[in-house]
Amino acid sequence: HMTIKFPIKYDNQTVTKEMFLETLNYVICFIENHFNCDLKIYRNALSVFKSMIKAANGINDRRPNKELCKQAFDVLEQIENFNADEKTKRQNREKCAWCKLMIEKFY
């Protein structure tokens, strides 16, 4: 079981709980708005991000297994490569980089 302690320090940045949740919510909304959530890969990715939100809120949840985390990673790459305007692309890259880091750090 896992909970995440805030703030998180990495490199020279400090991640607050608010920043962490905002990033996860952004990614979840992007998936729900741009991908077919009937497909297993997207459902699985959403379950990983939602369990990270629970962990951030101090709710013990089962840790997603390696396979689910790998699918979440794959979906983050699809978001990064998603054809969008420059501002959205930049935002997607930034948010996905954060999410990947969090998955690597905690899972």
Side-chain angles (χ1 to χ4, degrees), residues 8-44:
I8 299 164
K9 295 224 184 294
Y10 86 93
D11 292 346
N12 51 4
Q13 294 193 4
T14 299
V15 183
T16 64
K17 181 174 169 176
E18 291 67 38
M19 290 159 74
F20 186 77
L21 293 174
E22 194 271 326
T23 297
L24 287 167
N25 283 319
Y26 177 90
V27 168
I28 288 169
C29 288
F30 196 90
I31 293 169
E32 289 174 340
N33 290 326
H34 296 89
F35 298 110
N36 177 356
C37 292
D38 292 338
L39 297 176
K40 194 171 184 182
I41 184 169
Y42 301 114
R43 280 202 317 272
N44 288 345

Side-chain angles (χ1 to χ4, degrees), residues 90-106:
R90 196 171 53 247
Q91 216 175 8
N92 286 353
R93 276 196 302 272
E94 199 177 280
K95 306 276 188 208
C96 289
W98 274 85
C99 277
K100 287 178 175 179
L101 188 100
M102 295 305 160
I103 291 172
E104 284 172 345
K105 193 164 166 53
F106 295 108

Side-chain angles (χ1 to χ4, degrees), residues 79-97:
I79 294 172
E80 284 175 329
N81 296 320
F82 196 84
N83 197 356
D85 60 88
E86 273 316 304
K87 183 175 174 283
T88 305
K89 275 186 171 163
R90 196 171 53 247
Q91 216 175 8
N92 286 353
R93 276 196 302 272
E94 199 177 280
K95 306 276 188 208
C96 289

